[in-house]
Amino acid sequence: MAAILCENCSGQYPYTQVSQPLEISCMLLLIMLGKVFLDFFMLQVKQKKVKASFMGYFCVSLALLDFILLMSISFIFYFEDFALWGVRFTKYHICLFTQIISLTYGILHYPVYLVAGLDYYMTIAQTSQIPKRGQRLLYVCAVVVIWISGFFCILKVPAICEELEIQSRFSPYQCPLYASVQSYSVSCAMVLLIGMAVLACQKEVTTMLLSVRVVSFASQPVLMFSNVSNNNSTCFKWQLLTRLLICFLGTWAPFVLLQIIILFLGARIPAYMEMNVPWLYFINSFLIAVAYWCRRHDVELTEEMWSTDPFVSWKFCFMPFNNENTEPSDKPGRVIVIC
């Protein structure tokens, strides 16, 4: 891009014009610092023994890219005006790099969620026979291809390059950042689907919540719900939806509430902030629940199958709980436990 090359910077972007106010650069630096801390915090607190998945690898790549962006803007913020490998960097590039990241993040929601959804749909029932090493290599290649495609689409679109150039010429003291239409539509769709599921299972959800008890299992507190098993396929379908819904909302209810508030207020969050590791794990749990629902008749009840989600335990959505390690029950075998 012409705005980055040193020979073009000297004439078009003098230092007195492109230098941003300290507040803007400092604000971007602090926001990225908080985001990187949150990304690595989520990667640290998640369950370690989980199956490899595309979304897991993409979350790691996002955290690393955020860290690289943080280091880059910190370096520029400290040295302010310097040349490296024939390229002159000023505080204007703090805004430029953040804009490019925002635009790239903003167009990756659909492809990332589509690939992650297909991954869970094909592997949730253990129908894939790909060796683990080959599967991980496939995930790494998919992540690299998606990132390269995203940056290529942004940097090779003439209209975007022209807009960034014009903005740097005529609005050097402003740093307009971009919100993602894809993320907004995904939030709307998720809130709508969750709301429809709650309405469809309102009676079942109310019954299960009224029967909840806290017991101790394997030295850990768990929630125990009453459960009446039913072999009818239609009843099983709605019972499973109820259990998936309670498991999902039991972990991610604050995120759902936050999405409702954001949509109600019409707030538009910049894309470089909106795509973060907590948000991706929230989407990840939703996609796993959808995959379980779609493949409910093909799920194999194995221990490996329950290590798919690093934050939500879906095990007892499918199998009744043998309550031999909990407090006595009047009706053994008629309970379901959700961790």
Side-chain angles (χ1 to χ4, degrees):
M1 295 174 64
I4 301 179
L5 296 180
C6 195
E7 54 268 22
N8 293 332
C9 288
S10 59
Q12 295 179 0
Y13 307 103
Y15 177 73
T16 55
Q17 292 184 2
V18 301
S19 213
Q20 291 182 11
L22 180 62
E23 295 78 10
I24 297 179
S25 301
C26 187
M27 180 185 66
L28 292 176
L29 183 61
L30 292 176
I31 290 174
M32 284 306 305
L33 181 63
K35 185 188 177 188
V36 169
F37 173 80
L38 187 61
D39 288 346
F40 282 97
F41 175 77
M42 292 296 290
L43 292 176
Q44 183 65 30
V45 300
K46 73 179 182 67
Q47 297 180 27
K48 298 299 185 291
K49 295 182 179 180
V50 294
K51 290 177 59 178
S53 65
F54 167 80
M55 187 64 88
Y57 280 86
F58 188 83
C59 287
V60 173
S61 70
L62 177 66
L64 292 176
L65 190 61
D66 283 341
F67 181 75
I68 292 173
L69 177 63
L70 174 63
M71 292 296 100
S72 300
I73 62 179
S74 300
F75 197 80
I76 297 173
F77 182 81
Y78 181 78
F79 291 99
E80 294 188 356
D81 187 10
F82 63 95
L84 182 64
W85 297 319
V87 180
R88 179 188 173 192
F89 293 92
T90 66
K91 284 190 176 180
Y92 157 71
H93 290 86
I94 294 178
C95 176
L96 178 64
F97 291 162
T98 309
Q99 286 177 320
I100 294 173
I101 287 293
S102 289
L103 292 168
T104 305
Y105 285 4
I107 64 172
L108 290 185
H109 289 272
Y110 287 167
V112 168
Y113 303 157
L114 178 61
V115 174
L118 291 176
D119 174 40
Y120 287 127
Y121 183 83
M122 292 186 295
T123 61
I124 205 75
Q126 293 185 328
T127 57
S128 175
Q129 302 299 323
I130 303 176
K132 289 185 177 180
R133 182 173 298 180
Q135 192 175 17
R136 290 174 180 175
L137 181 61
L138 183 63
Y139 290 148
V140 172
C141 292
V143 169
V144 172
V145 168
I146 284 182
W147 280 121
I148 292 176
S149 301
F151 282 111
F152 181 83
C153 290
I154 293 301
L155 297 177
K156 290 299 181 180
V157 174
I160 295 178
C161 295
E162 291 176 4
E163 181 180 351
L164 293 176
E165 240 183 285
I166 293 173
Q167 184 268 325
S168 66
R169 290 185 188 180
F170 299 103
S171 304
Y173 293 100
Q174 299 179 5
C175 186
L177 298 172
Y178 306 93
S180 173
V181 177
Q182 292 185 7
S183 178
Y184 181 81
S185 61
V186 169
S187 296
C188 291
M190 284 189 62
V191 170
L192 180 61
L193 289 175
I194 293 172
M196 292 172 60
V198 170
L199 291 177
C201 304
Q202 183 177 4
K203 182 178 179 181
E204 291 81 359
V205 170
T206 304
T207 302
M208 291 188 69
L209 291 179
L210 290 177
S211 67
V212 65
R213 287 191 300 159
V214 180
V215 299
S216 176
F217 171 67
S219 302
Q220 292 184 352
V222 296
L223 300 180
M224 184 162 63
F225 299 85
S226 65
N227 171 56
V228 179
S229 59
N230 197 316
N231 296 326
N232 184 282
S233 60
T234 304
C235 292
F236 170 73
K237 178 176 67 173
W238 293 113
Q239 286 181 358
L240 177 60
L241 180 60
T242 303
R243 299 169 192 174
L244 292 172
L245 192 62
I246 291 178
C247 277
F248 178 77
L249 293 179
T251 301
W252 297 111
F255 260 72
V256 176
L257 180 62
L258 179 62
Q259 293 306 306
I260 294 174
I261 294 174
I262 291 174
L263 293 175
F264 178 77
L265 296 178
R268 306 305 299 271
I269 303 174
Y272 79 97
M273 295 172 54
E274 196 166 32
M275 179 173 277
N276 52 71
V277 173
W279 166 256
L280 290 180
Y281 277 129
F282 170 63
I283 296 290
N284 184 64
S285 296
F286 181 82
L287 294 175
I288 291 175
V290 173
Y292 275 137
W293 169 255
C294 296
R295 302 295 301 274
R296 55 186 176 274
H297 298 298
D298 303 320
V299 174
E300 297 183 11
L301 306 181
T302 62
E303 287 300 322
E304 185 182 6
M305 202 65 259
W306 314 126
S307 61
T308 306
D309 195 318
F311 287 97
V312 181
S313 174
W314 306 97
K315 179 176 182 179
F316 300 107
C317 289
F318 292 89
M319 50 193 305
F321 177 66
N322 183 5
N323 57 338
E324 59 185 14
N325 293 329
T326 65
E327 60 186 39
S329 173
D330 296 332
K331 297 181 180 180
R334 296 173 64 83
V335 296
I336 180 170
V337 175
I338 301 177
C339 295

